[in-house]
Amino acid sequence: MPPKLPTSCLQLPPSFLLPRLQINHVPKRGIRAIDPPRPNRFNRSQDLPLLTSTTAAALERKALTTPLRTGALATKKGMTAIYDPVTGRRWPCTVLQMDRVQVVSHKTRKRNGYFAVQVGSGWKHPSNVTRPQLGHFAGHGVSPKRHLVEFKVRDERGLLGVGEMIGANWFQEGQFVDARANCRGMGFAGVMKRWGFGGQPASHGVSLTHRSMGSAGQSQGGGSRVYPGKKMAGRMGGQQVTTQNVKVLKVDAEKGIVVLNGSISGPDGCLVKLQDAIKKPWPDMPLNPPAAQTVVEPLRAAA
């Protein structure tokens, strides 16, 4: 019978005594794709611009839809009708009046990141204006304004001089504008009035809940919750509405009246923001207001 070897000689020495061996293991795919990806002819050219997320790149992308000129402020006076003397057709129209519209300040890309013109209209007593706003008006040499709105422009060519007045002749007859105004507030409204729901059945199976919303969410399948953005009862109206591609029918520079075709949102006396329509060709007009003058008003703001 052969002698038995000791078990200690079959064991390996500790790991720190073994030589370090470097094995270059290259993994290989064991399954070959049956349908390999096909070359895409899109986004493969070397002439494509790099995708950027900077502010300057965002302004360049919006350059084609940013108006060249600043807008103006007007007050809605009401609606009337104009008859065409040639065809006899009746055109419903909206009458707007501009009240001491003046350039207050500028926004530049170097300081603010974009180009814009701050326009004010109307007049406000200095005792009803906060001291920071009084300092803002006094620093630019204009009287306190009732309304103050900012209009973006494409580049520095659209920046008008501070103090220049913008009249009704800033727009021309036949051009198209975008009119923005806050629509009439309806107060708290139910789902049938606010969203046009059909309501509950009128007779069988319903008791005193004919105009109610009904179920608002799921019990299990949808996560036992109400989804964000669910159409419910709430406050209706009182939000800004933009009416695009409104045609200018008449312009009265002496009285500051602009007549637009059709109707626009908002009650009589509301503030309307007018600017060149972005979905129509830009009007062939100068970037500066005709006969622009810096008007010195008798009442100044005291800081």
Side-chain angles (χ1 to χ4, degrees), residues 67-73 98 101-108 115-120 140 142 149 151-167 169-171 274-276 285-294:
L68 300 173
R69 310 187 307 159
T70 180
L73 301 178
M98 303 173 65
V101 182
Q102 192 176 10
V103 178
V104 177
S105 66
H106 295 157
K107 296 291 182 67
T108 59
F115 292 104
V117 179
Q118 193 179 56
V119 178
H140 294 87
V142 297
V149 178
F151 294 95
K152 283 188 176 182
V153 293
R154 181 180 299 181
D155 48 26
E156 63 274 1
R157 295 178 300 171
L159 300 178
L160 303 181
V162 175
E164 290 189 3
M165 301 295 294
I166 301 177
N169 53 359
W170 182 246
F171 305 101
L274 300 175
Q275 199 167 12
D276 298 335
M285 296 184 65
L287 297 180
N288 295 323
Q293 297 179 358
T294 303

Side-chain angles (χ1 to χ4, degrees), residues 8-35:
S8 59
C9 64
L10 299 178
Q11 294 179 355
L12 295 177
S15 58
F16 61 88
L17 296 178
L18 294 175
R20 297 181 179 180
L21 300 179
Q22 296 182 357
I23 303 176
N24 297 327
H25 177 69
V26 180
K28 296 182 179 180
R29 295 185 58 184
I31 301 177
R32 186 175 181 181
I34 301 177
D35 188 9

Side-chain angles (χ1 to χ4, degrees), residues 23-264:
I23 303 176
N24 297 327
H25 177 69
V26 180
K28 296 182 179 180
R29 295 185 58 184
I31 301 177
R32 186 175 181 181
I34 301 177
D35 188 9
R38 300 176 183 177
N40 188 4
R41 62 187 181 93
F42 300 103
N43 299 334
R44 294 287 183 175
S45 175
Q46 298 180 356
D47 301 332
L48 292 176
L50 297 177
L51 296 178
T52 56
S53 58
T54 60
T55 305
L59 293 175
E60 291 180 1
R61 290 193 295 268
K62 297 178 181 180
L64 297 179
T65 57
T66 304
L68 300 173
R69 310 187 307 159
T70 180
L73 301 178
T75 303
K76 182 178 178 180
K77 291 298 182 180
M79 292 194 66
T80 183
I82 295 179
Y83 289 88
D84 191 347
V86 179
T87 62
R89 182 176 177 181
R90 180 180 183 274
W91 294 93
C93 56
T94 303
V95 180
L96 306 177
Q97 188 172 18
M98 303 173 65
D99 181 19
R100 289 166 285 189
V101 182
Q102 192 176 10
V103 178
V104 177
S105 66
H106 295 157
K107 296 291 182 67
T108 59
R109 181 178 295 183
K110 182 178 180 180
R111 180 185 300 177
N112 308 102
Y114 61 96
F115 292 104
V117 179
Q118 193 179 56
V119 178
S121 68
W123 178 81
K124 201 171 184 180
H125 198 275
S127 62
N128 295 329
V129 183
T130 61
R131 294 186 65 86
Q133 288 185 344
L134 280 176
H136 177 69
F137 289 122
H140 294 87
V142 297
S143 63
K145 297 296 181 180
R146 172 69 59 178
H147 305 287
L148 206 60
V149 178
E150 186 179 288
F151 294 95
K152 283 188 176 182
V153 293
R154 181 180 299 181
D155 48 26
E156 63 274 1
R157 295 178 300 171
L159 300 178
L160 303 181
V162 175
E164 290 189 3
M165 301 295 294
I166 301 177
N169 53 359
W170 182 246
F171 305 101
Q172 62 181 359
E173 297 182 2
Q175 81 163 102
F176 293 89
V177 296
D178 293 339
R180 297 177 175 88
N182 291 335
C183 63
R184 183 170 58 92
M186 305 290 183
F188 194 92
V191 292
M192 294 185 67
K193 180 178 181 180
R194 190 183 185 191
W195 304 109
F197 282 15
Q200 304 298 327
S203 59
H204 300 289
V206 178
S207 299
L208 304 180
T209 56
H210 304 285
R211 298 181 63 87
S212 65
M213 178 180 63
S215 176
Q218 304 80 11
S219 62
Q220 183 177 3
S224 300
R225 64 192 181 96
V226 178
Y227 288 157
K230 170 65 178 174
K231 295 180 180 179
M232 295 182 176
R235 185 169 296 178
M236 179 180 178
Q239 56 194 6
Q240 180 176 279
V241 177
T242 302
T243 307
Q244 295 183 332
N245 305 333
V246 185
K247 188 176 182 180
V248 179
L249 298 181
K250 294 288 183 179
V251 173
D252 190 344
E254 182 179 358
K255 298 181 180 179
I257 291 178
V258 179
V259 181
L260 302 181
N261 182 26
S263 63
I264 60 176

